[in-house]
Amino acid sequence: MTEHKFKLGMYLPELGLPFDDSLAKAREIGAECVWFNTLGTDGPSMRELDDAAVDRLGERVAGHGLEIFLINVGNPFKQIHLTDLDVNGMEEHPEFRQDMEDMVRSMQIAARLGVTAVGVFTFAWPGEYSAAKPTWPMRWLTRGGYIADAEMDKLVRAFSLALEEAEKYDVTWRSR
Protein backbone atom coordinates (compact mmCIF):
# COMPACT_ATOMS: atom_id res chain seq x y z
CA MET A 1 0.00 0.00 0.00
CA THR A 2 1.29 3.44 -0.92
CA GLU A 3 1.51 5.97 1.86
CA HIS A 4 0.25 9.45 1.14
CA LYS A 5 1.33 12.55 2.97
CA PHE A 6 -1.30 15.19 3.25
CA LYS A 7 -0.54 18.69 4.37
CA LEU A 8 -2.95 20.40 6.71
CA GLY A 9 -3.67 23.93 5.62
CA MET A 10 -5.91 26.57 7.06
CA TYR A 11 -7.55 29.88 6.29
CA LEU A 12 -6.11 32.27 8.88
CA PRO A 13 -8.87 34.92 9.06
CA GLU A 14 -11.22 32.31 10.55
CA LEU A 15 -9.19 32.55 13.74
CA GLY A 16 -10.01 36.24 14.23
CA LEU A 17 -6.55 36.95 15.64
CA PRO A 18 -3.73 39.37 14.92
CA PHE A 19 -1.66 38.01 12.03
CA ASP A 20 1.36 36.71 13.95
CA ASP A 21 -0.90 35.15 16.59
CA SER A 22 -2.85 33.38 13.84
CA LEU A 23 0.39 32.06 12.34
CA ALA A 24 1.48 30.72 15.74
CA LYS A 25 -1.94 29.14 16.36
CA ALA A 26 -1.97 27.52 12.89
CA ARG A 27 1.43 25.95 13.57
CA GLU A 28 0.37 24.89 17.07
CA ILE A 29 -2.58 22.92 15.72
CA GLY A 30 -0.47 21.23 13.06
CA ALA A 31 -1.01 23.28 9.92
CA GLU A 32 1.83 23.31 7.43
CA CYS A 33 0.26 25.64 4.89
CA VAL A 34 -1.77 28.80 5.24
CA TRP A 35 -4.09 30.90 3.15
CA PHE A 36 -5.26 34.42 3.89
CA ASN A 37 -6.77 37.49 2.31
CA THR A 38 -6.18 39.90 5.19
CA LEU A 39 -3.35 40.43 7.64
CA GLY A 40 -5.32 39.60 10.75
CA THR A 41 -7.18 41.96 13.01
CA ASP A 42 -4.17 44.24 13.41
CA GLY A 43 -2.66 44.53 9.96
CA PRO A 44 -2.83 46.92 7.05
CA SER A 45 -4.77 46.11 3.92
CA MET A 46 -2.87 43.78 1.63
CA ARG A 47 -3.57 46.28 -1.15
CA GLU A 48 -1.22 48.70 0.60
CA LEU A 49 1.82 46.44 0.87
CA ASP A 50 4.91 47.55 -1.00
CA ASP A 51 7.60 45.08 -2.08
CA ALA A 52 9.52 45.38 1.20
CA ALA A 53 6.35 44.71 3.21
CA VAL A 54 5.54 41.71 1.00
CA ASP A 55 9.04 40.35 1.62
CA ARG A 56 8.56 40.80 5.38
CA LEU A 57 5.20 39.05 5.12
CA GLY A 58 6.87 36.03 3.54
CA GLU A 59 9.54 36.05 6.23
CA ARG A 60 6.91 36.19 8.98
CA VAL A 61 5.10 33.16 7.56
CA ALA A 62 8.33 31.20 7.06
CA GLY A 63 9.48 32.17 10.56
CA HIS A 64 6.59 30.12 11.91
CA GLY A 65 7.58 27.12 9.79
CA LEU A 66 4.63 27.60 7.46
CA GLU A 67 4.21 28.04 3.73
CA ILE A 68 1.61 30.04 1.83
CA PHE A 69 -0.35 27.81 -0.53
CA LEU A 70 -2.86 30.38 -1.78
CA ILE A 71 -3.21 34.11 -1.43
CA ASN A 72 -5.80 36.67 -2.36
CA VAL A 73 -6.15 40.37 -1.71
CA GLY A 74 -9.71 40.81 -0.49
CA ASN A 75 -12.30 38.51 -2.05
CA PRO A 76 -12.24 39.18 -5.79
CA PHE A 77 -15.64 38.77 -7.49
CA LYS A 78 -17.37 37.36 -4.39
CA GLN A 79 -20.07 39.99 -4.09
CA ILE A 80 -20.54 41.02 -7.71
CA HIS A 81 -23.76 39.80 -9.27
CA LEU A 82 -23.03 38.55 -12.76
CA THR A 83 -26.43 39.85 -13.85
CA ASP A 84 -25.24 43.41 -13.04
CA LEU A 85 -22.41 43.25 -15.58
CA ASP A 86 -22.47 44.08 -19.27
CA VAL A 87 -20.40 41.60 -21.27
CA ASN A 88 -19.00 44.40 -23.44
CA GLY A 89 -18.26 46.87 -20.66
CA MET A 90 -17.54 44.92 -17.51
CA GLU A 91 -14.11 46.53 -17.21
CA GLU A 92 -15.86 49.87 -16.58
CA HIS A 93 -18.03 48.50 -13.75
CA PRO A 94 -16.54 50.00 -10.54
CA GLU A 95 -16.78 46.85 -8.39
CA PHE A 96 -15.49 44.63 -11.18
CA ARG A 97 -12.59 47.02 -11.83
CA GLN A 98 -11.66 47.05 -8.11
CA ASP A 99 -11.84 43.27 -7.90
CA MET A 100 -9.67 42.94 -11.02
CA GLU A 101 -7.13 45.25 -9.38
CA ASP A 102 -7.26 43.12 -6.21
CA MET A 103 -6.79 39.96 -8.25
CA VAL A 104 -3.81 41.46 -10.09
CA ARG A 105 -2.31 42.63 -6.80
CA SER A 106 -2.80 39.08 -5.48
CA MET A 107 -0.85 37.80 -8.48
CA GLN A 108 1.93 40.32 -7.98
CA ILE A 109 2.29 39.37 -4.31
CA ALA A 110 2.13 35.66 -5.14
CA ALA A 111 4.80 35.99 -7.83
CA ARG A 112 7.08 37.92 -5.48
CA LEU A 113 6.70 35.28 -2.73
CA GLY A 114 6.90 32.25 -5.02
CA VAL A 115 3.31 31.28 -4.28
CA THR A 116 1.82 29.59 -7.30
CA ALA A 117 -1.89 30.08 -6.62
CA VAL A 118 -4.23 32.99 -5.99
CA GLY A 119 -7.90 32.81 -5.09
CA VAL A 120 -10.92 34.44 -6.70
CA PHE A 121 -14.64 33.79 -6.37
CA THR A 122 -17.15 32.83 -9.04
CA PHE A 123 -19.51 35.81 -8.66
CA ALA A 124 -22.58 36.05 -6.45
CA TRP A 125 -25.71 34.06 -7.03
CA PRO A 126 -28.61 36.32 -8.11
CA GLY A 127 -30.05 37.84 -4.96
CA GLU A 128 -27.12 36.83 -2.79
CA TYR A 129 -25.92 39.66 -0.51
CA SER A 130 -29.23 41.47 -0.95
CA ALA A 131 -32.35 41.93 1.16
CA ALA A 132 -34.13 39.29 -0.94
CA LYS A 133 -32.34 36.41 0.77
CA PRO A 134 -32.26 33.49 1.04
CA THR A 135 -31.44 32.19 -2.40
CA TRP A 136 -30.52 28.68 -1.31
CA PRO A 137 -34.01 27.29 -1.98
CA MET A 138 -33.73 28.48 -5.58
CA ARG A 139 -30.31 26.87 -5.87
CA TRP A 140 -31.60 23.55 -4.54
CA LEU A 141 -34.72 23.56 -6.73
CA THR A 142 -32.63 24.13 -9.84
CA ARG A 143 -29.90 21.69 -8.74
CA GLY A 144 -27.32 24.43 -8.54
CA GLY A 145 -28.95 26.87 -10.86
CA TYR A 146 -29.19 27.46 -14.53
CA ILE A 147 -26.79 29.85 -16.20
CA ALA A 148 -28.28 31.43 -19.31
CA ASP A 149 -26.10 31.75 -22.40
CA ALA A 150 -25.82 35.52 -21.95
CA GLU A 151 -24.57 35.06 -18.40
CA MET A 152 -22.19 32.31 -19.49
CA ASP A 153 -20.72 34.74 -22.04
CA LYS A 154 -20.03 37.10 -19.12
CA LEU A 155 -18.28 34.34 -17.16
CA VAL A 156 -16.15 33.46 -20.16
CA ARG A 157 -15.24 37.14 -20.66
CA ALA A 158 -14.45 37.76 -16.98
CA PHE A 159 -12.30 34.67 -16.56
CA SER A 160 -10.57 35.26 -19.89
CA LEU A 161 -9.47 38.62 -18.50
CA ALA A 162 -8.30 36.85 -15.34
CA LEU A 163 -6.38 34.28 -17.38
CA GLU A 164 -4.61 37.03 -19.36
CA GLU A 165 -3.37 38.49 -16.08
CA ALA A 166 -2.40 35.09 -14.64
CA GLU A 167 -0.17 34.44 -17.64
CA LYS A 168 1.70 37.70 -16.96
CA TYR A 169 2.56 36.63 -13.42
CA ASP A 170 2.91 32.86 -13.97
CA VAL A 171 0.36 31.94 -11.32
CA THR A 172 -2.56 29.57 -11.23
CA TRP A 173 -5.78 31.15 -10.09
CA ARG A 174 -8.28 29.02 -8.28
CA SER A 175 -11.92 29.92 -8.26
CA ARG A 176 -14.09 29.02 -5.29
Side-chain angles (χ1 to χ4, degrees), residues 5-18:
K5 170 117 169 70
F6 293 93
K7 290 183 176 182
L8 175 64
M10 71 180 304
Y11 177 63
L12 295 180
E14 295 287 341
L15 295 170
L17 297 170

Side-chain angles (χ1 to χ4, degrees), residues 47-60:
R47 281 185 192 116
E48 300 168 7
L49 301 179
D50 61 16
D51 287 347
V54 169
D55 293 343
R56 284 191 302 276
L57 171 67
E59 291 165 4
R60 289 165 71 186

